Amino acid sequence: MAEPAVKRVPGRGRFITFEGGEGSGKSTQIRALAQRLDAAGLRTLVTREPGGSPGAEIIRHLVLSGMGKLLGPDAETLLFAAARDDHVRTVIEPALARGTWVLCDRFSDSTRAYQGRLGQVTPAFLDAMQRVTIGDLKPDLTFILDVPVEVGMKRAAIRRGAGAPDRFESENLKFHQDLREAYRQIAAEDPQRCVLVDADADTATVAASVWTAVRDRFFKADVGSMASLA
Ligand code: TYD
């Protein structure tokens, strides 16, 4: 079902989310984009889910420990929803209202992909959760970083080092293949909002694609900004 568009209040910040499977490079790309926006004189806030607020970080610890899995898919989804509710209310909305650009590492598409497609939580349940937690809030732009599963898993293993894989990293190969497919489907279903990025390229190439999309989306009509943001 198409979600209603957010009413844009003058001076409100933009909300950009990054999505993708394990090891897709989201955090590196968020940092790169934040630096470019900062350099362009915009106020930015980098945040993440699950987490991003003190209350939500406690829930993050719970779900990544595997505790949520023991409760079953619906209850685990409720934990993500509770975390998101706190994060949106106490961090994201106030920042957007102040005119800050919010860059978020994962948001509601993660719930659609991980719990919806893979945990088989029903769309009706997810829609209800979404209404309660985020209402009309919809990202202005979502990057879906697409990388072959083997590449992503290898990157995630290197990042982890000797540490144990978390709740989702320890799922099997089929899970991660389905996850990639779920994200590609989300991108295809909402092409206005989502940009599917080939994240198998080197960091600078991916960052350039991200920046081009941001510039085209937000600064294209503004010739002055284009010059300063080139
Ligand atoms: P994290 O260590 O942040 O993973 P990554 O670096 O891949 O983003 O762990 C977050 C995990 O939680 C990740 O495996 C995806 C999962 N997740 C969900 O299952 N549902 C959600 O709604 C969110 C936000 C994350």
Side-chain angles (χ1 to χ4, degrees), residues 10-93:
R12 191 174 153 87
R14 302 291 196 269
F15 184 32
I16 304 177
T17 58
F18 283 72
E19 297 278 358
E22 315 296 319
S24 55
K26 294 179 282 86
S27 29
T28 306
Q29 291 304 327
I30 284 201
R31 278 197 303 274
L33 177 59
Q35 271 172 13
R36 292 196 86 150
L37 291 171
D38 284 342
L42 293 161
R43 250 185 328 218
T44 59
L45 172 75
V46 173
T47 187
R48 68 168 179 188
E49 289 209 346
S53 63
E57 287 291 330
I58 294 171
I59 300 175
R60 175 188 175 87
H61 182 70
L62 210 66
V63 269
L64 293 190
S65 73
M67 169 68 194
K69 188 177 182 181
L70 296 176
L71 302 174
D74 285 356
E76 189 177 42
T77 303
L78 287 170
L79 288 175
F80 282 112
R84 181 160 303 133
D85 183 65
D86 191 62
H87 186 213
V88 166
R89 209 164 22 85
T90 66
V91 174
I92 296 178
E93 277 292 4

Side-chain angles (χ1 to χ4, degrees), residues 18-27 48-51 60 63-64 76-77 79-81 83-84 105-115 156 159 166-169 175-176 179 183:
F18 283 72
E19 297 278 358
E22 315 296 319
S24 55
K26 294 179 282 86
S27 29
R48 68 168 179 188
E49 289 209 346
R60 175 188 175 87
V63 269
L64 293 190
E76 189 177 42
T77 303
L79 288 175
F80 282 112
R84 181 160 303 133
D105 189 338
R106 298 195 179 282
F107 194 60
S108 52
D109 294 312
S110 284
T111 310
R112 294 268 161 199
Y114 281 77
Q115 282 68 52
R159 184 184 57 186
D166 71 25
R167 150 81 178 92
F168 293 97
E169 285 168 350
F175 175 99
H176 293 285
L179 182 65
Y183 270 126

Side-chain angles (χ1 to χ4, degrees), residues 132-148:
V132 173
T133 52
I134 64 175
D136 282 354
L137 177 68
K138 185 177 173 179
D140 295 296
L141 180 60
T142 295
F143 289 104
I144 295 184
L145 302 190
D146 182 57
V147 78

